[in-house]
Amino acid sequence: MLYAACKFVHLLAFAAYTAAVLAGQVLVRSGRREQSGPAPSEAAARLAAALAARLALPALVLSLMSGLLLLHLVPGYLRAGWLHAKLACVLALLVLAHLAMLNARALARAQAAGDAQALAARGRRHTSYGAAELGLVAAVAALATLRPF
């Protein structure tokens, strides 16, 4: 029963993280369309920063903690090669999630300050971080379901 509950929390938290990353990308892109330029609107920048700090990062940490509990419950998984690749992707996701959160906060500050050059650069960087995060999410999902090694 504990294993099933832990796996449910693990998958739910990972889904919440994925949804937050997608929503942040959509917000920044829709904010750019509102502005008719390369920079997102102020509301979109603030909401993307809040999503990254209050939903994406905590969901990723919850997924990591529940995954560690799963490993404690079934230590035989540690012999599987696919799990080592998945853990490497998760570590990269943790780094990218922190960088994306810091960039989203800087994006909101640049928008509030009206710094157009920094705003455009931060917007492009946010898009790049989001694309990298979603690519790693796809890799984690593929490794967890296909178990290729």
Side-chain angles (χ1 to χ4, degrees):
M1 182 68 176
L2 179 61
Y3 177 80
C6 189
K7 193 168 187 177
F8 176 75
V9 168
H10 185 68
L11 294 173
L12 187 66
F14 195 69
Y17 169 75
T18 304
V21 170
L22 281 170
Q25 292 298 306
V26 168
L27 277 170
V28 170
R29 286 188 181 153
S30 69
R32 284 181 183 166
R33 283 189 215 112
E34 288 175 13
Q35 296 278 81
S36 299
S41 68
E42 186 173 354
R46 277 187 288 131
L47 194 51
L51 268 174
R54 295 186 184 142
L55 183 60
L57 201 55
L60 188 58
V61 170
L62 180 62
S63 184
L64 178 66
M65 292 299 143
S66 59
L68 290 174
L69 182 58
L70 283 169
L71 284 177
H72 177 71
L73 294 173
V74 185
Y77 277 151
L78 288 173
R79 290 189 210 110
W82 62 269
L83 186 69
H84 294 272
K86 180 183 172 192
L87 289 174
C89 289
V90 168
L91 286 176
L93 270 175
L94 278 171
V95 171
L96 272 174
H98 276 87
L99 290 174
M101 178 190 65
L102 294 173
N103 186 65
R105 287 180 177 174
L107 180 68
R109 283 193 305 270
Q111 179 67 332
D115 186 359
Q117 185 178 5
L119 197 56
R122 292 285 179 182
R124 285 190 302 273
R125 190 174 300 156
H126 188 77
T127 302
S128 298
Y129 284 153
E133 284 179 293
L134 292 174
L136 282 171
V137 163
V140 166
L143 287 167
T145 56
L146 300 176
R147 300 177 181 185
F149 304 117

